[in-house]
Amino acid sequence: MNDHTEQISYRSPIYLQLREVIRAQIEEGEYPPGTSIPSENELAATYGINRLTVRNAISTLVSEGLLKRVQGKGVYVIGPKNPRELEAVGGFTPVTQGGNAYETRILIKTVRPAREKYASIFGLFPEEEIYYIRRLTKLDGEPVFLEDAYIPKKVLPNLEDIDLKVFSPYEAFEYYGVRLMRTYQTLDITTLDPREGKMLGVAPQQSVMLFECTSYDQDDRAIEFTRTYVRGDRCSFVVHYHE
Amino acid sequence: MDSYKPKPRDEAAETIECFIIRNNLCPHDKLPSQREMCAMWSFNRVTLCSAIERLTQEGKLYSRPGSGVYVAPPKIQRNLLRLQSPTDYAREEGTQLQTKNLSFTVMPCTRQLSQKLHIPLGRPVYKLVRLRMINQVPSEIDTSYLDAQKVPDLENYNLETRSLYEILRTQYRFQLTGGEENISITYADPMEAKFLEIPENTGVFYLSGTVWDEQKTPLEYYKSLVRSELLKYSSTLRR
């Protein structure tokens, strides 16, 4: 990490002064992890400086690992990451044929009351709120997963501000200190309604795999439930086991 | 956040599930009549029927003609974290397993099998096809491939009454220490559909995998077709 003991005064280069302003705002939570900072134009106007200077300030924070530039979208705050690489044991791993170009689109992102079904999964009262996020993932342009995710609002109160095209919910969990310790997964076969079937590109009444996953944190609280419809012709699952 | 209005059928299906939870209904408990449910929740008949159909398809409800709609028992969950044979599953699940040998042949090792079993092309391979029934209902077709040289005289054992893994462990003294399994879907062909007693082209689980010993030497390569109506697979991922 950089040493900030150099005194930044009104005489220091402007880009460094701006760097410290933005850094302080990030540290004080004005721009929480996963959210975007104002645009270059906005910052230039706010502080009466030119855009190139703003860009330089941002570049230094990008190389420090505090910010990340996303083409066409802006500049986002990165949260603290757990440096330890966690080894996962067990579980179903999805395996797809060929291709590496995954593209995920968010179809729905909303807040709703849990109601009894999801309240019983998360240990909430039915009137407590949960996020509901529906995402469609394509591989090389062809749909392969349709995922419905549910997260209690109190687990990630900031989720509405986080751009899920830039960060995955898992990164969001990490930034806010929620650690996924265990997931319970089931794999089943089902058929889709015509509407969802069309999204996934399958014929009506064609079977798909249904992958459901409940994730638990370090206090054994259920923090996420996902129901993913998976095209069997484009994806299978692998499990490794041992005695 | 978007303002999102769920589709009537999805909302109705979830309402029924919530009703089941709120009233602590158990498997085989009867739901109110369709007319009563429509009145309780102000859904129209078509929406409600559609929701019941969806939940039936998901295995959460079932109908008795002329009698009504009932809460279905949860599907058996087969945990895939340990090496288990159908015999082991039946014991755990408290069901009656019957096994029928469909065929037992010797074939020359093909290129695919060579990669799976780590033996050269042409070597004799035992191919064993068995039908499993749970409580008299056909549930899966298991095909096992083994290097004949590793298991001489395998045909002398009764593979209908004994578990293959038990034979490998006790008669051949193999240590079955681990494996890898791939799960996807396939559609039963006419012959498979006939044995499994399901309509042709029904979606079934397709499991294929290898079991190996402590030196990672493959002992068995298998392919199984498993009906999904009564069971699903589960696994736990831990950090």
Side-chain angles (χ1 to χ4, degrees), chain A residues 86-92 95 106-118 120 131-132 150 159-161 180-196 205-210 212 229-230 232 235-243, chain B residues 1-4 7 9-11 14-19 21-22 54 57-58 60 75 77-84 165 169 176-187 201-206 210-212 222 226 228 231-239:
Chain A
L86 294 170
E87 239 247 319
V89 176
F92 295 112
V95 173
I106 296 176
L107 304 179
I108 299 168
K109 183 181 175 187
T110 189
V111 175
R112 46 157 280 185
R115 300 181 67 190
E116 284 86 351
K117 176 176 173 179
Y118 296 103
S120 80
Y131 292 108
Y132 164 48
Y150 303 86
L159 192 61
E160 32 212 307
D161 303 323
L180 257 64
M181 292 303 287
R182 174 171 71 93
T183 64
Y184 180 69
Q185 307 163 335
T186 63
L187 201 52
D188 201 350
I189 294 180
T190 189
T191 53
L192 286 173
D193 294 340
R195 187 176 29 111
E196 276 92 8
Q205 297 311 304
Q206 188 178 328
S207 297
V208 294
M209 288 193 283
L210 171 59
E212 290 184 323
Y229 299 100
V230 181
C235 178
S236 65
F237 289 85
V238 169
V239 172
H240 291 263
Y241 53 86
H242 40 88
E243 293 301 273
Chain B
M1 296 264 123
D2 318 321
S3 65
Y4 156 76
K7 300 285 186 294
R9 180 234 295 252
D10 296 338
E11 205 179 341
E14 194 177 320
T15 300
I16 295 173
E17 290 186 86
C18 291
F19 175 83
I21 292 169
R22 203 165 51 241
R54 169 109 290 254
Q57 209 287 316
E58 286 178 8
K60 294 179 172 140
K75 282 191 179 183
Q77 291 193 10
R78 289 214 168 146
N79 193 294
L80 287 177
L81 221 43
R82 293 188 59 235
L83 174 57
Q84 290 185 287
Y165 293 151
R169 283 190 190 104
L176 307 174
T177 51
E180 179 183 276
E181 183 157 58
N182 193 285
I183 307 170
S184 63
I185 301 187
T186 189
Y187 301 92
N201 286 318
T202 310
V204 292
F205 287 113
Y206 175 51
T210 316
V211 176
W212 48 67
Y222 60 86
V226 184
S228 71
L231 64 90
K232 59 188 189 180
Y233 290 97
S234 68
S235 186
T236 301
L237 182 89
R238 268 176 225 285
R239 304 221 153 163

Side-chain angles (χ1 to χ4, degrees), chain A residues 55-80:
Chain A
R55 199 172 306 159
N56 287 340
I58 290 175
S59 295
T60 58
L61 292 170
V62 168
S63 25
E64 275 185 39
L66 254 66
L67 295 176
K68 138 169 153 171
R69 279 205 174 89
V70 178
Q71 177 88 338
K73 293 191 70 88
V75 181
Y76 290 80
V77 181
I78 298 180

Side-chain angles (χ1 to χ4, degrees), chain B residues 112-152:
Chain B
Q112 190 219 17
L113 288 175
S114 167
Q115 282 167 6
K116 298 289 181 190
L117 291 174
H118 296 183
I119 57 178
L121 207 66
R123 238 348 143 85
V125 166
Y126 281 135
K127 176 181 174 182
L128 166 64
V129 186
R130 292 180 288 174
L131 174 68
R132 312 293 194 163
M133 287 166 285
I134 293 179
N135 297 340
Q136 321 289 341
V137 177
S139 75
E140 70 187 82
I141 298 176
D142 296 330
T143 304
S144 298
Y145 299 91
L146 301 111
D147 175 1
Q149 291 183 5
K150 290 200 175 74
V151 287

Side-chain angles (χ1 to χ4, degrees), chain A residues 10-222:
Chain A
Y10 77 96
R11 285 206 172 109
S12 308
I14 297 290
Y15 85 96
L16 286 180
Q17 293 187 48
L18 181 60
R19 181 189 76 184
E20 293 317 303
V21 167
I22 297 176
R23 188 203 306 288
Q25 287 169 333
I26 291 173
E27 280 168 9
E28 273 146 39
E30 194 173 325
Y31 304 125
T35 65
S36 61
I37 64 173
S39 68
E40 278 177 16
N41 281 340
E42 287 170 319
L43 288 169
T46 303
Y47 298 102
I49 54 188
N50 78 50
R51 274 182 59 189
L52 189 53
T53 310
V54 172
R55 199 172 306 159
N56 287 340
I58 290 175
S59 295
T60 58
L61 292 170
V62 168
S63 25
E64 275 185 39
L66 254 66
L67 295 176
K68 138 169 153 171
R69 279 205 174 89
V70 178
Q71 177 88 338
K73 293 191 70 88
V75 181
Y76 290 80
V77 181
I78 298 180
K81 286 205 161 161
N82 191 333
R84 193 161 51 102
E85 190 52 56
L86 294 170
E87 239 247 319
V89 176
F92 295 112
T93 309
V95 173
T96 48
Q97 270 91 26
N100 279 309
Y102 281 101
E103 184 208 311
T104 298
R105 197 154 61 94
I106 296 176
L107 304 179
I108 299 168
K109 183 181 175 187
T110 189
V111 175
R112 46 157 280 185
R115 300 181 67 190
E116 284 86 351
K117 176 176 173 179
Y118 296 103
S120 80
I121 290 174
F122 294 115
L124 302 171
F125 291 109
E127 57 273 10
E128 287 187 74
E129 288 184 315
I130 58 177
Y131 292 108
Y132 164 48
I133 300 158
R134 167 166 271 194
R135 302 196 292 177
L136 179 68
T137 299
K138 294 186 180 178
L139 177 59
D140 299 332
E142 280 262 357
V144 65
F145 306 121
L146 177 63
E147 180 197 85
D148 286 333
Y150 303 86
I151 300 171
K153 186 154 193 224
K154 62 187 186 189
V155 169
L156 273 188
N158 257 44
L159 192 61
E160 32 212 307
D161 303 323
I162 295 177
D163 188 330
L164 291 173
K165 285 227 70 173
V166 175
F167 299 98
S168 72
Y170 295 108
E171 285 170 309
F173 282 127
E174 227 181 319
Y175 298 162
Y176 289 91
V178 180
R179 292 177 58 212
L180 257 64
M181 292 303 287
R182 174 171 71 93
T183 64
Y184 180 69
Q185 307 163 335
T186 63
L187 201 52
D188 201 350
I189 294 180
T190 189
T191 53
L192 286 173
D193 294 340
R195 187 176 29 111
E196 276 92 8
K198 205 148 151 252
M199 279 184 222
L200 258 189
V202 299
Q205 297 311 304
Q206 188 178 328
S207 297
V208 294
M209 288 193 283
L210 171 59
F211 179 67
E212 290 184 323
C213 181
T214 310
S215 302
Y216 299 86
D217 70 3
Q218 60 269 36
D219 301 314
D220 226 43
R221 265 189 321 174

Side-chain angles (χ1 to χ4, degrees), chain B residues 5-173:
Chain B
K5 188 89 184 62
K7 300 285 186 294
R9 180 234 295 252
D10 296 338
E11 205 179 341
E14 194 177 320
T15 300
I16 295 173
E17 290 186 86
C18 291
F19 175 83
I20 292 172
I21 292 169
R22 203 165 51 241
N23 293 285
N24 289 316
L25 294 187
C26 296
H28 309 298
D29 281 350
K30 188 167 179 304
L31 288 186
S33 73
Q34 291 198 23
R35 190 176 318 172
E36 285 172 311
M37 288 196 277
C38 287
M40 273 199 284
W41 300 315
S42 312
F43 288 121
N44 73 48
R45 195 64 182 264
V46 171
T47 302
L48 190 76
C49 280
S50 201
I52 290 175
E53 195 190 300
R54 169 109 290 254
L55 290 172
T56 304
Q57 209 287 316
E58 286 178 8
K60 294 179 172 140
L61 298 177
Y62 67 91
S63 298
R64 281 202 207 131
S67 176
V69 178
Y70 295 78
V71 177
K75 282 191 179 183
I76 292 169
Q77 291 193 10
R78 289 214 168 146
N79 193 294
L80 287 177
L81 221 43
R82 293 188 59 235
L83 174 57
Q84 290 185 287
S85 69
T87 312
D88 299 322
Y89 284 127
R91 193 183 318 123
E92 262 181 33
E93 292 156 12
T95 53
Q96 283 276 354
L97 176 74
Q98 293 95 34
T99 300
K100 185 159 175 286
N101 277 349
L102 296 181
S103 75
F104 189 143
T105 50
V106 182
M107 53 177 280
C109 184
T110 61
R111 193 160 75 146
Q112 190 219 17
L113 288 175
S114 167
Q115 282 167 6
K116 298 289 181 190
L117 291 174
H118 296 183
I119 57 178
L121 207 66
R123 238 348 143 85
V125 166
Y126 281 135
K127 176 181 174 182
L128 166 64
V129 186
R130 292 180 288 174
L131 174 68
R132 312 293 194 163
M133 287 166 285
I134 293 179
N135 297 340
Q136 321 289 341
V137 177
S139 75
E140 70 187 82
I141 298 176
D142 296 330
T143 304
S144 298
Y145 299 91
L146 301 111
D147 175 1
Q149 291 183 5
K150 290 200 175 74
V151 287
D153 305 321
L154 185 63
E155 65 271 20
N156 293 342
Y157 297 100
N158 188 332
L159 291 156
E160 283 187 346
T161 55
R162 294 175 74 176
S163 147
L164 175 65
Y165 293 151
E166 182 256 312
I167 292 170
L168 292 178
R169 283 190 190 104
T170 58
Q171 309 295 147
Y172 294 97
R173 305 254 175 247

